[in-house]
Amino acid sequence: MGNRFICMKKKDTKEPGSRSKRMGRSQRKLLAEEEFLHRQALSMAIQQHQLSQRFDGSMSRRIGASTSSRRLTDPLSKEKQAPIVLENIQHKKVVLIHGEGFGAWCWYKTVALLEEAGLQPTALDLKGSGIDLTDTNSVATLAEYSKPLIDYLENLPEDEKVNLIGHSSGGASVSYALEHFPQKISKAIFLCATMVSDGQRPFDVFAEELGSAERFMKESQFLIFGNGKDQPPTGFMFEKQLMKGLYFNQSPSKDVALAMVSMRPTPLGPIMEKLLLSPEKYGAGRRFFIQTLEDRALSPDVQEKLVRENPPEGVYKIKGSDHCPFFSKPQSLHKFIVEIIQIP
């Protein structure tokens, strides 16, 4: 985002009251600068994502080619930042898949950090999410929901592979892709995600917090009936205050504000669908899991259960992170992503 420079001023020889006023103006100026940085970051993220929609099948699809020299981080982040040196990376493409209610916009910090490290990130909107114009209520299957990812993988040259990252329920799309395009995926990273076993539904992962699927379908006040009350529900969306407590208990307030105006309903069909995963395809994929230890949407205990029942190649843990480490711990998340990608 560019560095900020504060010029040294001449020694103040005026009255204390005048000095106090100037100090107040200085603090307001710093706050204004931080606000400007954040607005500029979000504007750039949106612009980059819109550009990424113009996909040419003969080219790799990525975000932010013109901004690789800029660092895009939250000015209020207290995480330590250190340059990460890449070594011997064969597959530099990184595809980022959002979770329920989110869109490609949620990865704006991660995209910039990966770009800066010399990787080639792509953040996708799943069907009916982000700025995709599809009516959420019309998305009934995981195949439909995951179509933007499937289209992307189908258009990859035969000799190319990607590193695939899925957040939360986006893990189901990652699993689906591993089953159908194992030859296109170098590594699959599940970020506090629904890393289900064969025959499981993505919803089953959240059952401990939300109750059984049957009870949820009958009693939940968050359900959306896009085809009328006399028909099965088509989607769901949590009330904003509940979302804040579940997803963003450690995230910066500005990112929470961004989420509150950007999140959309989630299609219900895809998360209620049982996945068919074979040991020959899905089972042969290289899977990694990143746990979030202050997570209220998918508790650390549930995440531990996931990795026990469906063991990945490696498990990483982010301390102090809520369900959205791309907001609350972007540097720690970035470090783990790069570390995993560099594993031979």
Side-chain angles (χ1 to χ4, degrees), residues 86 88-95 114 117-122 161-163 186 341:
L86 302 182
N88 304 320
I89 292 185
Q90 184 179 2
H91 303 291
K92 291 190 173 183
K93 287 185 170 63
V94 183
V95 179
L114 292 174
L119 295 167
Q120 299 171 12
T122 297
K161 292 186 177 185
V162 301
N163 299 285
S186 174
I341 289 174

Side-chain angles (χ1 to χ4, degrees), residues 1-277:
M1 290 304 302
N3 295 323
R4 292 182 295 174
F5 297 91
I6 302 177
C7 298
M8 297 297 292
K9 295 184 178 180
K10 293 181 180 179
K11 187 175 180 181
D12 191 356
T13 57
K14 297 186 179 181
E15 296 179 0
S18 177
R19 185 184 301 116
S20 176
K21 290 179 182 178
R22 280 195 297 278
M23 287 177 65
R25 285 197 295 270
S26 176
Q27 290 174 342
R28 287 195 296 273
K29 182 180 178 182
L30 286 174
L31 289 173
E33 286 178 345
E34 287 179 349
E35 181 65 30
F36 172 75
L37 284 170
H38 194 76
R39 286 201 308 270
Q40 193 174 5
L42 299 185
S43 175
M44 185 169 68
I46 293 170
Q47 182 182 26
Q48 289 167 354
H49 178 59
Q50 289 171 339
L51 288 173
S52 78
Q53 300 304 305
R54 297 198 285 271
F55 174 70
D56 181 343
S58 65
M59 300 173 63
S60 64
R61 180 177 177 183
R62 59 190 286 228
I63 290 181
S66 62
T67 61
S68 58
S69 64
R70 296 184 178 186
R71 178 178 294 277
L72 184 61
T73 55
D74 192 324
L76 302 180
S77 175
K78 296 181 180 179
E79 284 192 281
K80 293 181 180 179
Q81 300 177 10
I84 297 177
V85 180
L86 302 182
E87 297 177 357
N88 304 320
I89 292 185
Q90 184 179 2
H91 303 291
K92 291 190 173 183
K93 287 185 170 63
V94 183
V95 179
L96 302 158
I97 303 300
H98 61 82
E100 67 283 354
F102 292 88
W105 53 268
C106 72
W107 298 105
Y108 78 95
K109 295 178 183 180
T110 301
V111 163
L113 289 169
L114 292 174
E115 280 274 2
E116 188 178 74
L119 295 167
Q120 299 171 12
T122 297
L124 296 176
D125 281 323
L126 296 178
K127 205 75 170 175
S129 305
I131 61 173
D132 183 274
L133 298 178
T134 306
D135 180 5
T136 300
N137 296 303
S138 70
V139 182
T141 67
L142 185 59
E144 291 177 74
Y145 189 50
S146 306
K147 192 174 187 304
L149 172 59
I150 300 310
D151 289 347
Y152 177 91
L153 294 174
E154 285 180 337
N155 282 287
L156 272 180
E158 287 188 10
D159 59 341
E160 286 194 15
K161 292 186 177 185
V162 301
N163 299 285
L164 187 55
I165 303 174
H167 171 243
S168 198
S169 66
S173 294
V174 172
S175 296
Y176 184 87
L178 269 175
E179 179 64 24
H180 291 84
F181 295 91
Q183 75 282 5
K184 298 288 185 76
I185 300 168
S186 174
K187 297 183 181 76
I189 302 174
F190 292 78
L191 176 59
C192 50
T194 52
M195 187 177 66
V196 299
S197 302
D198 178 46
Q200 273 191 310
R201 297 173 295 190
F203 180 89
D204 295 339
V205 175
F206 295 96
E208 189 168 308
E209 278 84 3
L210 299 178
S212 70
E214 291 72 24
R215 179 181 173 187
F216 183 80
M217 295 288 278
K218 289 180 180 179
E219 300 178 7
S220 179
Q221 68 269 40
F222 311 115
L223 293 173
I224 297 169
F225 295 83
N227 297 324
K229 283 284 187 178
D230 58 335
Q231 298 295 319
T234 53
F236 74 94
M237 186 170 186
F238 295 125
E239 186 267 335
K240 287 186 176 182
Q241 283 305 119
L242 179 59
M243 275 197 293
K244 288 180 181 180
L246 281 176
Y247 291 103
F248 310 116
N249 50 294
Q250 299 293 326
S251 293
S253 58
K254 291 180 181 180
D255 288 323
V256 178
L258 168 66
M260 291 300 99
V261 299
S262 303
M263 293 185 76
R264 291 177 60 183
T266 301
L268 195 59
I271 69 167
M272 292 296 183
E273 183 178 319
K274 291 183 178 180
L275 271 74
L276 300 178
L277 305 172

Side-chain angles (χ1 to χ4, degrees), residues 298-332:
L298 197 65
S299 72
D301 289 343
V302 171
Q303 294 183 46
E304 284 286 352
K305 183 180 178 183
L306 284 176
V307 299
R308 282 198 310 271
E309 294 179 347
N310 191 11
E313 184 175 329
V315 176
Y316 300 76
K317 301 182 180 184
I318 302 180
K319 295 180 180 179
S321 174
D322 55 22
H323 195 58
C324 300
F326 39 75
F327 290 156
S328 59
K329 289 289 182 179
Q331 291 287 342
S332 297

Side-chain angles (χ1 to χ4, degrees), residues 274-294:
K274 291 183 178 180
L275 271 74
L276 300 178
L277 305 172
S278 66
E280 299 79 19
K281 295 180 179 180
Y282 170 84
R286 300 189 67 184
R287 291 177 292 110
F288 299 82
F289 198 97
I290 299 178
Q291 296 182 357
T292 41
L293 300 186
E294 297 293 330

